[in-house]
Amino acid sequence: MSPTTSAPGRWQPPGGTLEPPLAGAALDLDVFRLHAARELAEETGSDTAADALVPGPVVLDARGGLGFLFIAPPRPARELRERYAELARAEIASGVDPEFDQVELIGSSSELRALPGPLASYLELAAGRFLGA
């Protein structure tokens, strides 16, 4: 996370707080997917469609909040890095600080543990389900 966020220097996946639905509206998997796809685009520049996201684990963060994680389909690393770099350049040019200082693509739990700085409280446990312990 960038220095201007509430968790500077912490490694965490893209995400945000889900707004409650309007009165009488459903809060279901489709709503979570749409929110996750929007956050992914806003924070990384990815154009992953909501219906392409696969539900992952539900995690509890250090403050007691629930996190609904999703897995995006694989894409070439170069494409992901270029999209993030383009987004960051555009945000900086418009006077906005990007939420992330950088992005890393992690292929193993040992790579995750080797990142400099703190990890989100749930990240290692959640990633372990997909990367292997």
Side-chain angles (χ1 to χ4, degrees):
M1 299 295 293
S2 72
T4 59
T5 65
S6 63
R10 181 175 69 185
W11 291 95
Q12 68 181 54
T17 303
L18 182 65
E19 296 298 322
L22 298 175
L27 184 57
D28 59 17
L29 186 57
D30 290 337
V31 171
F32 290 140
R33 273 194 177 106
L34 287 170
H35 178 76
R38 186 183 76 246
E39 290 290 340
L40 187 61
E42 288 175 358
E43 296 177 6
T44 69
S46 172
D47 64 352
T48 302
D51 61 359
L53 298 175
V54 175
V58 176
V59 297
L60 184 65
D61 72 17
R63 295 183 308 227
L66 288 177
F68 296 85
L69 303 182
F70 289 86
I71 309 305
R75 296 180 110 164
R78 181 178 177 158
E79 174 188 336
L80 296 171
R81 291 183 192 286
E82 287 173 355
R83 285 181 180 269
Y84 172 74
E86 182 179 321
L87 171 71
R89 278 192 301 273
E91 287 182 334
I92 290 167
S94 69
V96 174
D97 290 329
E99 286 192 54
F100 293 114
D101 273 346
Q102 67 186 70
V103 294
E104 285 295 329
L105 305 174
I106 304 299
S108 70
S109 292
S110 61
E111 288 178 9
L112 181 64
R113 287 188 293 273
L115 291 172
L119 303 177
S121 61
Y122 58 85
L123 188 56
E124 193 167 358
L125 178 64
R129 291 195 50 203
F130 304 101
L131 300 173

